[in-house]
Amino acid sequence: MFAGAQAKLAKSGPRKLLALDGGGIRGLITIEILAKIESILRRRSSNPSLVLADYFDYIAGTSTGAVIGTLLALGKPVDEIRRIYLDCGRMMFDKNTITGRLEKLGKDLHGETVIETMELVAHYAKRWAGEREAYAKYPDKPLADKLKELVGDDTTLATDNLKTLLLLVLSDATTDSPWPLSNNPRAKYNDPARPNSNAKFPLWQVVRASTAAPTFFPPQEIRVGSDTFVFVDGGVTSYNNPSFQLFLQATLEPYGVMWPVGEKNMLLVSIGTGLNPNVQQGLRSADMHAAAAISTATEALFNAAMYQQDQLCRVFGRCLCGETLDREIGDLVGTKGPADPSRLFTYVRYNATLSAEGLNGLGLARIAPKDVESLDSVEHMKELQDVGAAVAERKVEAGHFTGFAA
């Protein structure tokens, strides 16, 4: 059990950490950035078969980042992960709308009598009322089936197939609490002797739970001992960007890993799926009715949480690359901080701003922001790839990995 994680824990030398944000189909941006990193590392190591699981020791992911992170940790090359997203993107986001249900009902009603029609309508109404999918935009079966195929139906979190330490972020709707789950064999709740050990969780269910974005996909139930908990997307926690949480899991004593800190001892690479600034020019107080206020506040909380994870990493790590955080503090590259003279780790953040200004800065003025902002923008996967490739070309440098050999 935990063979890959044990091997990473036993090795020596600088530690390399990789954190992947959530963001639905916008994970294609992440994939193109990862492709550039993989290419750089293959050239530097003179190993054309190197995969990112060979290089990184601990990978963290939330939502779509959990899917990509798990596939990386299983040893898959980026090109294969890209093909999976391109081949399965439309299938994953196959709309589960009431329109489709009514079309099905209409076909079944063809030629029926009034009494038979009423009975059939009652039958569907009762059936839909008991379905989790009736409240979600998309059904979960295509994604669940694909995860079982990729990961294995019976594969657990303790599988030897994972070649790195892996951290996946879920949100427990039952207890209203974030659950950062890992395959760390030293973690308290991963003890196989525990009757409700997290190590026994089916890996595909953990990944599926991390992707269960409310209103997009149904929740995921996972049985824990004699109890069943309901999980939703880890993106609704403060860890949609899991970067600083990954650093804590790799260094805090209670987690049992306790890797040494220092600019030369640890590299943390964080990759986003695109910033989506919701600037509302001309907004009036009268426009902030209850529904609008809730929507705005929710999005603001999510963005603030991602911002804070990134900011903390730049403050306590030596930041080599990152988007401007705000007009007051800039990008914090080369600035002094409370951890000086030596920071706790070396840090790089790769991301894009999906505004007209941000896309124009990437040389992509032809792409409309509305086409790449949505989590389910499967009609514009090529454009999302173009965004990721442009970020990779302009921001990912071989020098960022200097001192952290493969």
Side-chain angles (χ1 to χ4, degrees), residues 39-62:
S39 175
I40 288 173
L41 296 175
R42 284 178 172 180
R43 289 197 304 270
R44 290 184 57 155
S45 66
S46 300
N47 178 8
S49 299
L50 177 143
V51 293
L52 294 181
D54 298 328
Y55 183 78
F56 289 102
D57 304 304
Y58 210 152
I59 299 175
T62 301

Side-chain angles (χ1 to χ4, degrees), residues 1-11 15 57-58 73 157-166 182-186 190 257 259:
M1 299 175 69
F2 301 115
Q6 295 280 19
K8 292 292 188 180
L9 288 168
K11 61 168 284 195
R15 302 296 180 162
D57 304 304
Y58 210 152
L157 194 59
T159 180
D160 292 339
N161 295 334
L162 290 170
K163 301 181 182 301
T164 70
L165 286 155
L166 177 66
S182 77
N183 65 332
N184 172 16
R186 300 174 184 173
N190 280 350
V257 178
W259 284 336

Side-chain angles (χ1 to χ4, degrees), residues 255-289:
Y255 295 116
V257 178
M258 295 182 292
W259 284 336
V261 299
E263 294 176 30
K264 296 181 180 180
N265 293 327
M266 183 171 290
L267 170 68
L268 173 53
V269 177
S270 176
I271 304 178
T273 59
L275 295 170
N276 185 16
N278 184 26
V279 178
Q280 303 182 69
Q281 298 288 355
L283 182 69
R284 302 168 302 169
S285 59
D287 298 326
M288 294 300 291
H289 50 77

Side-chain angles (χ1 to χ4, degrees), residues 154-217:
D154 299 323
T155 302
T156 67
L157 194 59
T159 180
D160 292 339
N161 295 334
L162 290 170
K163 301 181 182 301
T164 70
L165 286 155
L166 177 66
L167 173 66
L168 305 176
V169 181
L170 294 67
S171 177
D172 184 354
T174 306
T175 61
D176 193 24
S177 59
W179 273 39
L181 290 181
S182 77
N183 65 332
N184 172 16
R186 300 174 184 173
K188 177 179 180 179
Y189 291 100
N190 280 350
D191 183 353
R194 296 179 64 92
N196 58 347
S197 172
N198 293 349
K200 299 175 183 177
F201 289 176
L203 180 58
W204 78 265
Q205 285 190 348
V206 176
V207 179
R208 162 70 185 87
S210 185
T211 65
T215 75
F216 281 87
F217 292 105

Side-chain angles (χ1 to χ4, degrees), residues 23-29 64 85 89-90 93 374-378 381 384:
I25 198 63
R26 294 200 327 240
L28 282 166
I29 295 174
T64 197
Y85 265 66
R90 294 179 188 276
F93 292 95
S374 176
L375 302 184
D376 57 353
S377 187
V378 292
M381 290 191 286
L384 289 167

Side-chain angles (χ1 to χ4, degrees), residues 312-389:
L312 287 171
C313 286
R314 300 190 198 202
V315 168
F316 292 100
R318 179 73 64 193
C319 183
L320 303 181
C321 176
E323 295 277 297
T324 296
L325 289 170
D326 62 45
R327 293 178 182 176
E328 182 171 13
I329 63 175
D331 59 17
L332 293 181
V333 175
T335 61
K336 295 181 179 180
D340 283 332
S342 178
R343 303 288 178 99
L344 301 179
F345 50 94
T346 295
Y347 177 69
V348 290
R349 170 73 171 173
Y350 304 125
N351 205 3
T353 300
L354 303 179
S355 63
E357 182 181 2
L359 292 169
N360 186 54
L362 290 172
L364 299 173
R366 59 183 171 78
I367 297 179
K370 63 180 178 60
D371 291 340
V372 291
E373 290 174 349
S374 176
L375 302 184
D376 57 353
S377 187
V378 292
E379 299 299 324
H380 299 281
M381 290 191 286
K382 177 62 170 64
E383 287 86 345
L384 289 167
Q385 285 185 277
D386 290 345
V387 172

Side-chain angles (χ1 to χ4, degrees), residues 109-122:
L109 290 176
H110 183 69
E112 302 293 337
T113 67
V114 173
I115 297 297
E116 290 170 332
T117 296
M118 292 175 64
E119 290 175 345
L120 198 54
V121 169

